[in-house]
Amino acid sequence: MAASVNIVEALPAHDDAIAAVTRASFQGSDEVELIHRLRDAGLVVLSLVALKEDDIVGHILFSRLHVSVDSREIHAVSLAPMSLSPKLQGKGIGSALIREALQRLPKLGCEAVIVLGHPGYYPRFGFSAALAAKFESPYPREAFMALELVPGILTGNSGTLSYPKAFGLGTHS
Ligand SMILES: CC(C)(COP(=O)(O)OP(=O)(O)OC[C@H]1O[C@@H](n2cnc3c(N)ncnc32)[C@H](O)[C@@H]1OP(=O)(O)O)[C@@H](O)C(=O)NCCC(=O)NCCS
């Protein structure tokens, strides 16, 4: 059962608190910089915060990603980063953020979600490494997972996926 939080769309006024939660949960600034680069590049599709009273205790961000299957372009997003205030981890707030986002993303035209994440965490929401197997992965295979928001949208023989420059991976579009 999730600790009682409100989940709302992130506002510019939340930027500093999002940076603080992200820095605390990842114990560093790399993910804060990723958020800034994604925003600057205009790639953010959905950014949600979890509010406990007036405090931001969690954040999740989805950004546009180039994905195609059998030469068909897919409206895909990348889930990254996601952060929970260290004191409030393991209380279901992260799960609530993901579930709320998965409700909202189809309404924004999104058809699939790609994540690099803990293989013990994301499959419970429907993410699957097998579904991502047709894409070349810049990351370890078992941590590279996909979820279909439109059933069957990733079905096909071959797929291509490229992370935008904001991810700093070297190969990008
Ligand atoms: C990972 C994270 C976002 C999950 O959010 P959360 O609110 O703590 O998670 P929930 O309470 O919804 O879910 C708890 C479950 O997640 C699992 N979990 C949390 N962190 C995990 C990790 N690093 N690896 C595997 N599972 C993890 C817990 O074991 C627990 O599993 P259970 O339900 O089987 O007991 C959060 O712990 C966090 O911010 N971690 C540090 C930053 C990070 O790793 N971000 C994600 C990058 S993929």
Side-chain angles (χ1 to χ4, degrees), residues 25-26 82-84 89-95 116-118 121-122 124:
S25 83
F26 284 96
M82 172 179 176
S83 311
L84 257 293
Q89 288 177 10
K91 297 188 187 303
I93 302 172
S95 298
L116 166 75
H118 308 300
Y121 184 58
Y122 291 94
R124 68 188 69 186

Side-chain angles (χ1 to χ4, degrees), residues 10-18 39 56:
L11 300 170
H14 296 148
D15 286 359
D16 289 348
I18 289 171
R39 277 193 201 130
I56 287 178

Side-chain angles (χ1 to χ4, degrees), residues 67-74 111-112 130-132 134-135 146-159:
V67 172
S68 66
V69 173
D70 291 347
S71 305
R72 223 173 353 106
E73 204 167 314
I74 309 292
E111 299 171 318
L131 211 48
K134 67 166 65 64
F135 303 112
L147 175 146
E148 291 177 334
L149 294 166
V150 174
I153 196 76
L154 298 177
T155 302
N157 294 320
S158 64

Side-chain angles (χ1 to χ4, degrees), residues 37 65 116 137-139 161-172:
R37 289 196 301 271
L65 195 62
L116 166 75
S137 167
Y139 300 114
L161 180 154
S162 60
Y163 278 87
K165 194 176 173 187
F167 280 85
L169 292 169
T171 53
H172 52 76

Side-chain angles (χ1 to χ4, degrees), residues 1-2 21-22 24-27 31 57 59 79-86 88-99 115-122 124-125:
M1 183 68 188
V21 166
T22 305
S25 83
F26 284 96
Q27 298 174 328
E31 285 73 16
V57 298
H59 173 246
L79 187 179
M82 172 179 176
S83 311
L84 257 293
S85 177
L88 287 167
Q89 288 177 10
K91 297 188 187 303
I93 302 172
S95 298
L97 274 167
I98 294 176
R99 295 206 166 95
V115 70
L116 166 75
H118 308 300
Y121 184 58
Y122 291 94
R124 68 188 69 186
F125 307 104

